[in-house]
């Protein structure tokens, strides 16, 4: 179908005829327009995701944007975004400028992009890039509302749980690992994800070091400080956003056990962050619990290989480590401590059944041991009785 603007008011009834009185753009038939913008000419994966792309000349792109009759919603606005992205692709990305040996305080990461919540309801987790933003406790990025602050899920969450999810950041290193998996509709270059992030994050950083539970990152030249609380446990929105299939071959179950879906942080101190800002590691209390290791321990199927295919937690390490992690002061409650407590209860019930079964087995073995002597005892008494009878008869 197609949309029209009503130029003049009038009545219309079944059987009326339409007469063409003006054709200012014979070149741009509706089929040609749809093919040029949504036909995947500039990006074949965009066609599968029903997203716009452009594979023709920049002159034609600017010509279309300048057309007075082209609709803004879904068309001209998309073309303007494509044009802006093409210009931005020519600009260098501000990568990290300093790197100290792994797990050292002082490691520096660079901010590649800052993102607010977009207004395009047609896109999953739509984000818009901003030059700078103020981050504050609980709310996260000031002036933008994310999942932890709205909807039924937010109403059920306690304040501490929401504050632990105030900021979602993603690393370009995680993006590179996902790109290597060759998902059909996933972006192929770092610039593509910087311009159009895929995980609903508010920050993309270039961090060559691991990021660990409890890390404190201070922003150079700002008062902002972030504390790492957990990896992100992705939902099916990740598959929807990136045109991936559900299930074992989808993006959700690929990123979850590997800790690649993003990192949640709480804001310890309010401050401004901008594109090109530097994050400096000032505290690392738990270097043994990197985001990868934490995801692997809980959602990597170590305690139950089938759990990894269902995206649920399990535990295959010493129970002592499990209880230590539950008591960790920095680990997020939502989806992490909650999951560990469920696992601990299951293990406790399983252990109780095992002890009960063990006691029953021991009692049975004792009974069996006693039972083996019964025939000998009976035979002994029968023999003694026979002897007595013989002696009585002899007398």
């Amino acid at each position: 179908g197609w949309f029209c603007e009503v130029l003049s008011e009038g009545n219309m009834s079944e059987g009326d005829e339409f007469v063409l009185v003006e054709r200012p753009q014979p070149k741009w038939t509706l089929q040609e327009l749809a093919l040029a913008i949504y036909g995947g000419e500039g990006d074949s994966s965009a066609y599968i995701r029903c997203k716009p792309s452009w594979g023709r000349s920049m002159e034609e792109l600017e010509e279309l944007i300048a057309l007075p009759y082209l609709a803004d919603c879904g068309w001209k606005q998309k073309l303007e975004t494509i044009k802006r992205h093409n210009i931005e692709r020519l600009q260098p990305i501000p990568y990290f400028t300093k790197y100290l040996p792994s797990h050292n305080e002082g490691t520096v990461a660079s901010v590649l992009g800052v993102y607010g919540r977009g207004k395009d309801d047609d896109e999953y987790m739509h984000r818009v890039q901003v030059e700078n933003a103020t981050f504050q406790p609980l709310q996260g990025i000031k002036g933008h509302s994310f999942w932890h602050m709205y909807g039924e899920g937010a109403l059920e969450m306690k304040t501490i749980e929401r504050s632990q999810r105030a900021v979602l950041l993603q690393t370009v290193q995680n993006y590179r690992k996902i790109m290597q998996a060759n998902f059909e509709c996933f972006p192929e270059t770092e610039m593509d994800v910087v311009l159009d992030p895929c995980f609903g994050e508010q920050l993309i950083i270039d961090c060559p070091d691991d990021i660990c539970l409890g890390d404190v990152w201070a922003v150079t030249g700002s008062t902002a400080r972030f504390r790492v609380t957990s990896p992100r446990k992705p939902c099916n929105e990740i598959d929807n956003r990136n045109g991936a299939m559900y299930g074992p071959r989808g993006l959700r179950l690929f990123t979850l056990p590997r800790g690649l879906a993003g990192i949640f942080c709480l804001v310890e101190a309010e401050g401004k962050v901008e594109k090109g800002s530097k994050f400096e590691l000032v505290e690392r209390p738990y270097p043994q619990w990197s985001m990868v290791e934490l995801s692997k321990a809980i959602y990597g199927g170590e305690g139950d290989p089938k759990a990894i295919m269902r995206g649920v937690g399990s535990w295959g390490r010493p129970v002592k480590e499990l209880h230590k992690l539950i008591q960790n002061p920095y680990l997020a409650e939502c989806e992490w401590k909650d999951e560990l407590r469920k696992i601990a209860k299951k293990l406790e019930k399983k252990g109780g059944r095992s002890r009960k079964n063990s006691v029953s087995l021991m009692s049975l073995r004792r009974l069996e041991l006693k039972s083996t002597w019964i025939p000998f005892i009976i035979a002994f008494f029968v023999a003694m009785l026979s002897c007595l009878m013989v002696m009585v008869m002899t007398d």
Side-chain angles (χ1 to χ4, degrees), residues 84-362:
R84 188 178 72 251
H85 284 182
N86 285 342
I87 294 171
E88 289 175 342
R89 280 189 177 91
L90 302 176
Q91 300 174 1
I93 301 176
Y95 283 105
F96 68 95
T97 56
K98 178 183 176 185
Y99 174 57
L100 297 179
S102 183
H103 303 313
N104 263 321
E105 293 179 7
T107 297
V108 170
S110 182
V111 176
L112 308 185
V114 183
Y115 307 91
R117 187 164 178 245
K119 297 180 181 179
D120 192 340
D121 294 331
D122 293 334
E123 289 192 30
Y124 291 99
M125 299 181 294
H126 182 227
R127 299 292 178 260
V128 291
Q129 190 165 181
V130 295
E131 286 302 314
N132 59 72
T134 298
F135 288 82
Q136 55 190 19
L138 186 62
Q139 173 71 27
I141 186 169
K142 191 174 181 180
H144 293 264
S145 181
F146 291 94
W147 179 84
H148 71 290
M149 292 300 293
Y150 68 87
E152 293 181 3
L155 295 175
E156 295 172 0
M157 293 171 69
K158 299 176 182 177
T159 301
I160 182 65
E161 293 174 338
R162 284 187 282 160
S163 67
Q164 290 169 341
R165 302 165 67 91
V167 179
L168 176 65
L169 65 84
Q170 182 62 290
T171 69
V172 73
Q173 284 72 21
N174 284 352
Y175 271 118
R176 288 171 186 161
K177 291 174 183 176
I178 298 168
M179 288 174 190
Q180 290 171 1
N182 295 317
F183 282 92
E184 185 176 9
C185 297
F186 202 75
E188 297 178 356
T189 70
E190 294 161 7
M191 180 57 84
D192 286 333
V193 298
V194 168
L195 295 176
D196 189 16
C198 302
F199 288 91
E201 61 266 37
Q202 288 86 62
L203 292 167
I204 295 180
I205 65 172
D206 183 6
C207 183
D209 193 7
D210 291 333
I211 293 180
C212 301
L213 177 64
D215 279 1
V216 175
W217 293 84
V219 181
T220 305
S222 171
T223 55
R225 286 167 66 98
F226 301 92
R227 170 86 69 175
V228 175
T229 58
S230 75
R232 187 257 195 92
K233 182 186 177 186
C235 61
N236 286 330
E237 293 293 296
I238 296 299
D239 291 326
N240 293 333
R241 169 66 179 79
N242 295 285
M245 63 179 66
Y246 293 159
R249 297 176 63 186
L251 194 59
R252 170 180 168 254
L253 291 184
F254 176 82
T255 57
L256 175 57
R258 296 171 175 84
L260 299 177
I263 299 148
F264 277 119
C265 303
L266 62 80
V267 180
E268 285 204 334
E270 182 175 332
K272 185 177 286 188
V273 181
E274 59 186 16
K275 189 175 180 179
S277 291
K278 297 296 183 290
F279 274 37
E280 183 177 358
L281 179 65
V282 295
E283 185 181 335
R284 174 158 284 174
Y286 295 99
Q288 72 273 28
W289 286 117
S290 68
M291 297 294 97
V292 175
E293 190 65 22
L294 196 56
S295 301
K296 181 182 175 185
I298 302 175
Y299 291 104
E302 293 184 355
D304 177 9
K306 294 180 181 179
I308 192 173
M309 308 307 289
R310 302 195 308 270
V312 298
S314 66
W315 191 263
R317 306 188 182 191
V319 178
K320 187 178 180 180
E321 282 189 51
L322 172 66
H323 289 290
K324 274 187 177 180
L325 208 46
I326 292 174
Q327 298 301 320
N328 191 290
Y330 305 124
L331 182 62
E333 291 283 339
C334 183
E335 299 177 336
W336 295 87
K337 280 191 178 181
D338 288 348
E339 191 71 22
L340 288 175
R341 291 189 186 102
K342 292 177 186 176
I343 294 169
K345 283 184 179 180
K346 288 180 182 178
L347 292 177
E348 189 176 338
K349 288 180 180 178
K350 187 177 179 181
R353 286 196 299 269
S354 298
R355 285 192 295 273
K356 186 177 181 180
N357 292 338
S358 178
V359 170
S360 301
L361 186 61
M362 288 178 66

Side-chain angles (χ1 to χ4, degrees), residues 7-22:
L7 297 178
S8 59
E9 185 178 341
N11 296 322
M12 195 163 45
S13 60
E14 186 178 349
D16 286 352
E17 294 183 349
F18 274 35
V19 178
L20 179 65
V21 295
E22 184 181 344

